[in-house]
Amino acid sequence: MASGIPETGRALRTLVTENGTVEVSVQEAPIPELGPGDVLVRVEAAPVNPSDLGILFAGADMSAATVSGSWEQPVLTAPLSPGAVRALAARVGKPLPAGNEGAGTVVAAGASDAAQALIGRAVAVAGGGMYADYRRADAAQCLVLPADVTPRQGASSFINPMTALGMVETMRREGHTGLVHTAAASNLGQMLNRVCAEDKIPLVNIVRSAAQEEILRALGAEYVCNSTSPAFAAELTAALEATSATLAFDAVGGGELAGTILGCMEAAAAKDAPGYSVYGTTTRKQVYIYGGLDRGPTIVHRTFGLTWGLGGWLLTPFLQTIGPDRFRELRERVGAGLTTTFASSYTQEVSLAGALQPEAVAAYTRQATGEKFVIAPQSG
Amino acid sequence: MASGIPETGRALRTLVTENGTVEVSVQEAPIPELGPGDVLVRVEAAPVNPSDLGILFAGADMSAATVSGSWEQPVLTAPLSPGAVRALAARVGKPLPAGNEGAGTVVAAGASDAAQALIGRAVAVAGGGMYADYRRADAAQCLVLPADVTPRQGASSFINPMTALGMVETMRREGHTGLVHTAAASNLGQMLNRVCAEDKIPLVNIVRSAAQEEILRALGAEYVCNSTSPAFAAELTAALEATSATLAFDAVGGGELAGTILGCMEAAAAKDAPGYSVYGTTTRKQVYIYGGLDRGPTIVHRTFGLTWGLGGWLLTPFLQTIGPDRFRELRERVGAGLTTTFASSYTQEVSLAGALQPEAVAAYTRQATGEKFVIAPQSG
């Protein structure tokens, strides 16, 4: 181990207990041994993404969360429903690391040339356990940040950028020519607008407020539909007719939105369809649910024939289908655009312990548009 | 035209009117001219399938249907909801033929050898307009019935048999190894049991009553789950674990059944899955809705991770994907099994006019298990 590396480091741990609670705490643990191909990354920035919340809090009722312990060693405890505890049986009693992605500086490396070459470099890492002072990583899995990109700028280099590119890639592979995106003013949604503008892909943005509409208009988005508008279905149908978009990615999940999109896609397709069929048009219509801003049931009024699909979409298995060469191409595109197309911005920076304070938890679990947290372990 | 063929024939016609009603009537019309490759089929039997009802009655409120006109020339009139009329705009004022499939005897033929060869033969035809005294058909599209098969036995040779084979074909093409079927005691469901038994495919039957369960048990079905059982979810999960079935075909559509199947598939998969993932197992789970016994909304509680799909499934476009060679193989299998594997039975036979009588309409629109109508145009 190189000099100057402490023997232990802190990390967030999340534990589902037999008592039906989830406990999230800051734990001190030994710095792991490095294999020949490993590097040790001193984590400087790790974002709080929606996809981190399921691991951190396991679907607990966060309105009933309490924090005990000291400022430096807080323990956040929140109750789980009996149903959630049953579903989480495999997690009970096993503390898990958290933090899907982040970036930092390589402060030690194994003996291999590839690992040694990264010493002192700023790298981004995805794959969990980034809410920590130090994270061991396979050198081959690190994205080396360009010289002018800071770890904070590179911290969100995987999930949102690869999700945006994955949506476009899915569209091409499944034979669609335009996209629909919900919760479209999100950090990811804004990124998707920049990608689609670059690639000249028509994109229909669905938002839930005038303020969100304004964010996207300011970004140059052409098609923005507000689901709270009384004429939403007609406005969405018109946008779908103009764009021929037949593939949607939905972050909301619950309620009637996914079904409404399918219905409007069918209405747009029917305007061009020859004649009438009791089974609807032959236009393939697909909605992928990739998030769960609304945890309630998905309610689908099947008024759009039989040529439709609804399903889940998850980044990691999708990336496994595209092959290593295409994966590398997408990663390189992200690396080249971290301060432009794929830039993320944060409204709040917190330490590991600060991430467990009630007001911080309340803020980032709200998943409000324009509010994004980054954890900076070295800040406290 | 050969001698003995009248100049006109009767046929059922369905008309959506500007007044917001659907009118179904018996109309007399000239016998169509035959092209060189055409034959004229005197229709002897045409089943009333669930897929015929949408064309015949256009989703009208059949509880408010009235019948006027004479016994020989009845006119059934039923009111449409304003929403249905909008959706049916393309049908307004255009009388449509009905009857997706049927069988009869070739009584005249065009000049081609292929057409002439069919004179006097019993053939089955699919493609609409079979609720008629006579139907012109392309000789190449006729299924010539074996000598020991009557038109009544061959009348249902397309929709149910090809749907059952299409489900199995879809399973193989999409990489699944077992099937789930709802409304499984139906004529189609019983046929699917025979096909799966022949092909040694595990099949989980879902029914809604003890009587339906009994029908399938008597047929030798191994896995039958009654959705009205208090332990339905546990029983279905156990059957899914035993069969590894990850593809379901659902005739119900509305309510929570499709989502419950996905949830039980996930529970069965999780028992074998290594470790816990917040995104659920990586087992692909798919439900295709191919019917609408429950026209209400599909309600999906998303408790099964992100590796799932729900969609519509329709026979004709599916058959277009399998290619003409495979299509011919499936048709030949049906032709060879019309009195065994692919046999249909009927509880009621009615004439064209009889099919519009209130008690007949009430009976076949109920789509009750074990009750199936066949229209015999020559019977009255």
Side-chain angles (χ1 to χ4, degrees), chain B residues 162-188:
Chain B
M162 293 302 278
T163 299
L165 292 178
M167 290 173 175
V168 169
E169 196 77 6
T170 299
M171 180 200 81
R172 294 201 175 107
R173 281 167 191 259
E174 298 189 2
H176 303 274
T177 56
L179 285 174
V180 180
H181 190 222
T182 73
S186 66
N187 197 302
L188 169 62

Side-chain angles (χ1 to χ4, degrees), chain B residues 85-173:
Chain B
V85 175
R86 267 195 307 280
L88 294 164
R91 275 183 71 166
V92 172
K94 298 173 192 156
L96 294 180
N100 283 322
E101 66 178 343
T105 304
V106 174
V107 292
S112 76
D113 290 350
Q116 287 291 322
L118 296 187
I119 285 185
R121 298 296 301 268
V123 298
V125 178
M130 294 302 289
Y131 296 156
D133 282 326
Y134 295 92
R135 164 72 150 75
R136 178 175 58 183
D138 181 343
Q141 302 297 318
C142 295
L143 178 72
V144 179
L145 299 178
D148 60 344
V149 175
T150 66
R152 183 173 158 132
Q153 288 173 316
S156 295
S157 70
F158 194 89
I159 293 176
N160 280 350
M162 293 302 278
T163 299
L165 292 178
M167 290 173 175
V168 169
E169 196 77 6
T170 299
M171 180 200 81
R172 294 201 175 107
R173 281 167 191 259

